[in-house]
Amino acid sequence: MDIAPDHAYAHYNLGLALNKLGRLEEAISSYAKALAIKPDYAEAHINRGTALRDLNRWGEALANYDQALAVRPNYAEAFYNRGLALGQLERPGEALASYAQALAINPGYAEAHAQRGEILFAASRFEEALAGFEQALAITPTLDFLRGQALYARLYLCDWRLFDTECERLAEQLAQNETVSSPFPLLAVIDAPQVHRRAAELYAAVRYPAGHGVPEIAKRGRRERIRIGYFSADFRHHPMMHLMAEMLELHDRQRFELIAFSFGPDTGDSWRERAARAFDQFIDIRSLSDREAAALARNLELDLAIDLNGFTLGCRPGIFADRAAPIQVNYMGYPGTMGAPYIDYLLADRALIPADARQHYCEKIVYLPDTYQANCREREISDQALSRSDLGLPASGFVFCSFNTHYKITPDVFDSWLRIITRVPDSVLWLLVGNQTARLNLGKRAAQAGVDPRRLIFAASLPVAEHLNRLRSAHLFLDTFPYTAHTTASDALRMGLPIVTRSGQSFASRVAASLLKVVGVPDLITTTPQEYEALAVTLATQPEQLAAVRQRLLANLPTCALFGAERFTRAIESAYIAMYERYQDDLSPDHIVVT
């Protein structure tokens, strides 16, 4: 810059180079110098906004995109980036309008169609989201990870057109290292942990590569209290907290120091308040970039960083890509491998990941002795008396239920359910209400199979305490496959409701089976569709057998490990200590069995 200090383009190009090197603050400074010389430099406004965006400074990024539009009102890329910023700032209506403006200027802007779809998807406007995804794919069929997202939207609608073809296509493309789907949607449609691993590895490498230029964490000596950071978007009214709250409260504070790193909404609800009380420190890191959050964790000298999100809604794996702690652990939120070299361990149990399946997971497996799933001993349960008519159920007849979210319902599973209720006269199938399109599609599928759609009963959303109460009105829970019931399974078992599940090869397909073993009713686990249907029909048509199973379940609940929060907490603490001791002994991560 000494030769031509007033050359705006030189400052701009320097900013581009610094951006590529990850030197974002310096890049922002270079763009600012270019803009000081040439205030109408629209590209510099855009790229400065993008660098600010990468630092999680979304408000400042938005201001730059607005400045770019002030200079060039028909700048489609600026409207697109503005939409990204508005989405992150939780202003979805304005984000949709910004994407619409980008598309009015450039109807062939595939990325804008796709991101508009993401905003609509988050708002549960699944039909509109799917239309956006399909438009984007029609323009750019190879757009990263979009084909899987389109399938995911169809699952919420129970729209199973070309379902088998799309699943086969995704598996084939992933085998060719094509970036066609993020990992999460595949859990619900393909029971193949090797496919899940490939998808996770591709996704992590493209979206969350290991941080470059990040120094190793200097080795620290042993200390009396192991410092653990729990990272989550869900320290609030959410299934994760419903499961983990008591475990967090029961941690031995003489042995462990707990720090929460929260990057989800501050809902102010009772679960958020309970979470805040459970930690020694509760830090809101929403305003920090991934690198800044990792740096904060390093400065706080974490020993272990526990990722409670994985690849789920609101996740931030980039924090772990920059090494928040010397030991990093995948737990609870995501039932599969993260496919990333910077995640050292995955907490599981023997039922979830048999020894011969370890090759499908990048992490070393830590086996907890009973179950991987934390649970609270007590939950608030409504005691309101409910009649079947109050719940929309017929006055008599057997009630099958499945309260898993609609994306877990595959056509094969639903066809099994239809065959089951056909073989059990006067039975009904009780499902979550979902959306209108899903209800219509399920009804049409039932009618095509010769089943009266009125035998499908749709349950409205209720507060958790009331939902747990209504589970008493069901006779048998029919599980989904390959993504089985997780929190919904422990909820049903807590209420004494037996679950018939089908266990497969993947982590997600084995969770309900794991929980059934822990509560002492492993005879409810099947491995084929034929076994699954036969067992459900047998239990529904032989009331004495179902009553015996239910009585055994109820008798086991008070002492079973699934709801033994104290026992579980001691087990997971033993796991943390074993990881920590290996690190202190200069040993690489390895599989660990906690006894």
Side-chain angles (χ1 to χ4, degrees):
M1 293 306 118
D2 291 339
I3 297 174
D6 293 330
H7 198 303
Y9 301 105
H11 286 293
Y12 173 74
N13 286 320
L14 178 59
L16 292 177
L18 291 165
N19 216 14
K20 285 186 177 180
L21 292 170
R23 293 159 62 179
L24 298 177
E25 293 285 3
E26 294 172 81
I28 290 166
S29 177
S30 282
Y31 294 135
K33 289 175 183 175
L35 289 165
I37 300 163
K38 183 176 172 54
D40 63 348
Y41 199 162
E43 289 82 2
H45 283 297
I46 285 283
N47 281 286
R48 186 171 188 271
T50 300
L52 288 162
R53 180 188 74 194
D54 291 343
L55 288 171
N56 222 30
R57 291 157 62 179
W58 291 97
E60 294 173 76
L62 178 61
N64 268 104
Y65 301 142
D66 285 339
Q67 287 171 309
L69 287 166
V71 173
R72 192 185 300 172
N74 290 323
Y75 196 176
E77 188 180 353
F79 278 116
Y80 168 76
N81 281 286
R82 187 172 182 273
L84 292 176
L86 289 164
Q88 286 292 323
L89 293 168
E90 299 180 9
R91 294 158 62 180
E94 294 172 81
L96 288 174
S98 201
Y99 291 130
Q101 288 169 299
L103 291 166
I105 298 165
N106 179 8
Y109 200 156
E111 291 83 356
H113 282 295
Q115 288 301 323
R116 184 173 181 274
E118 293 288 359
I119 295 288
L120 292 164
F121 186 92
S124 299
R125 294 163 61 179
F126 300 116
E127 283 186 292
E128 297 169 86
L130 178 58
F133 297 150
E134 290 179 335
Q135 285 174 301
L137 287 168
I139 297 164
T140 309
T142 57
L143 206 59
D144 279 347
F145 311 114
L146 188 57
R147 189 165 295 280
Q149 190 67 2
L151 178 59
Y152 193 32
R154 290 191 197 102
L155 289 174
Y156 271 98
L157 295 165
C158 297
D159 176 354
W160 300 319
R161 292 171 295 164
L162 302 176
F163 176 83
D164 291 334
T165 302
E166 276 297 289
C167 291
E168 291 170 7
R169 179 177 181 174
L170 287 172
E172 290 169 1
Q173 289 178 304
L174 286 164
Q176 298 300 314
N177 295 328
E178 296 181 39
T179 53
V180 289
S181 180
S182 61
F184 189 83
L186 300 174
L187 302 180
V189 297
I190 299 175
D191 181 37
Q194 67 274 21
V195 174
H196 300 166
R197 174 169 179 164
R198 183 81 287 246
E201 288 173 333
L202 290 168
Y203 190 66
V206 171
R207 289 285 170 85
Y208 306 105
H212 58 273
V214 178
E216 287 190 17
I217 297 174
K219 180 73 176 289
R220 292 185 292 270
R222 283 183 175 83
R223 52 185 168 195
E224 189 173 339
R225 297 177 76 200
I226 299 173
R227 191 166 296 155
I228 299 176
Y230 284 100
F231 293 73
S232 180
D234 302 317
F235 292 121
R236 55 193 168 93
H237 174 48
H238 184 276
M240 187 279 292
M241 272 302 292
H242 300 167
L243 294 174
M244 291 192 62
E246 190 171 12
M247 184 209 83
L248 296 171
E249 293 162 345
L250 289 173
H251 265 311
D252 180 358
R253 291 305 202 275
Q254 299 300 312
R255 192 70 179 88
F256 299 92
E257 180 181 351
L258 304 188
I259 304 176
F261 294 82
S262 175
F263 42 85
D266 183 358
T267 54
D269 60 49
S270 60
W271 289 95
R272 173 81 170 192
E273 293 171 0
R274 186 173 179 181
R277 292 193 300 270
F279 289 92
D280 296 288
Q281 295 184 62
F282 190 94
I283 305 172
D284 190 325
I285 60 170
R286 284 177 294 173
S287 65
L288 301 183
S289 69
D290 289 345
R291 180 149 295 183
E292 288 169 336
L296 173 62
R298 286 168 168 244
N299 289 337
L300 290 170
E301 296 189 349
L302 292 190
D303 297 306
L304 285 83
I306 317 298
D307 181 4
L308 297 176
N309 275 95
F311 294 130
T312 60
L313 184 65
C315 65
R316 290 183 60 180
I319 295 171
F320 301 90
D322 278 347
R323 270 284 166 192
I327 305 166
Q328 300 194 137
V329 184
N330 170 14
Y331 177 53
M332 186 60 84
Y334 183 71
T337 183
M338 293 284 289
Y342 44 79
I343 302 295
D344 304 300
Y345 293 102
L346 169 61
L347 288 170
D349 59 51
R350 290 181 180 86
L352 293 174
I353 304 176
D356 61 3
R358 290 173 181 166
Q359 73 268 25
H360 302 310
Y361 300 83
C362 292
E363 305 88 344
K364 297 302 181 182
I365 310 303
V366 179
Y367 291 97
L368 297 174
D370 303 303
T371 175
Y372 91 109
Q373 191 183 83
N375 248 296
C376 295
R377 284 172 286 198
E378 302 292 335
R379 291 289 302 279
E380 181 185 356
I381 302 170
S382 170
D383 58 2
Q384 179 184 0
L386 295 172
S387 67
R388 288 171 62 120
S389 63
D390 292 333
L391 298 166
L393 297 169
S396 61
F398 195 90
V399 178
F400 293 103
C401 76
S402 188
F403 288 118
N404 288 345
T405 311
H406 281 60
Y407 74 81
K408 294 185 180 183
I409 304 175
T410 62
D412 289 346
V413 162
F414 190 68
D415 289 346
S416 279
W417 292 348
L418 294 177
R419 287 190 290 269
I420 289 166
I421 64 174
T422 297
R423 294 170 61 187
V424 181
D426 300 321
S427 63
V428 296
L429 178 58
W430 198 16
L431 306 169
L432 288 176
V433 67
N435 56 79
Q436 179 66 16
T437 301
R439 296 196 297 275
L440 289 172
N441 283 335
L442 293 174
K444 288 176 184 176
R445 185 89 170 194
Q448 290 167 359
V451 175
D452 187 343
R454 289 176 296 181
R455 294 178 72 181
L456 306 180
I457 310 297
F458 292 99
S461 296
L462 290 177
V464 176
E466 296 175 37
H467 169 67
L468 292 173
N469 182 35
R470 74 175 165 192
L471 289 174
R472 297 181 171 117
S473 297
H475 296 110
L476 188 64
F477 191 115
L478 298 178
D479 203 3
T480 45
F481 182 88
Y483 200 138
T484 61
H486 292 192
T487 307
T488 45
S490 54
D491 285 347
L493 295 171
R494 181 188 297 277
M495 301 309 298
L497 177 60
I499 302 169
V500 173
T501 194
R502 179 180 161 200
S503 180
Q505 300 304 309
S506 61
F507 187 128
S509 75
R510 301 171 69 88
V511 171
S514 169
L515 303 184
L516 287 167
K517 288 180 180 179
V518 175
V519 298
V521 284
D523 41 317
L524 297 181
I525 303 168
T526 66
T527 57
T528 68
Q530 295 78 17
E531 289 178 359
Y532 173 86
E533 293 172 30
L535 179 57
V537 171
T538 296
L539 291 172
T541 56
Q542 297 185 18
E544 300 85 359
Q545 187 169 337
L546 179 60
V549 170
R550 180 180 171 84
Q551 186 56 44
R552 182 155 38 100
L553 170 59
L554 289 169
N556 291 343
L557 288 179
T559 57
C560 74
L562 182 58
F563 301 112
E566 183 79 39
R567 174 174 172 169
F568 179 87
T569 305
R570 300 291 84 81
I572 203 169
E573 288 177 347
S574 294
Y576 293 157
I577 291 169
M579 299 177 211
Y580 181 73
E581 289 300 324
R582 287 194 64 84
Y583 170 73
Q584 287 297 335
D585 290 339
D586 296 320
L587 298 173
S588 299
D590 201 355
H591 304 299
I592 295 170
V593 177
V594 178
T595 57

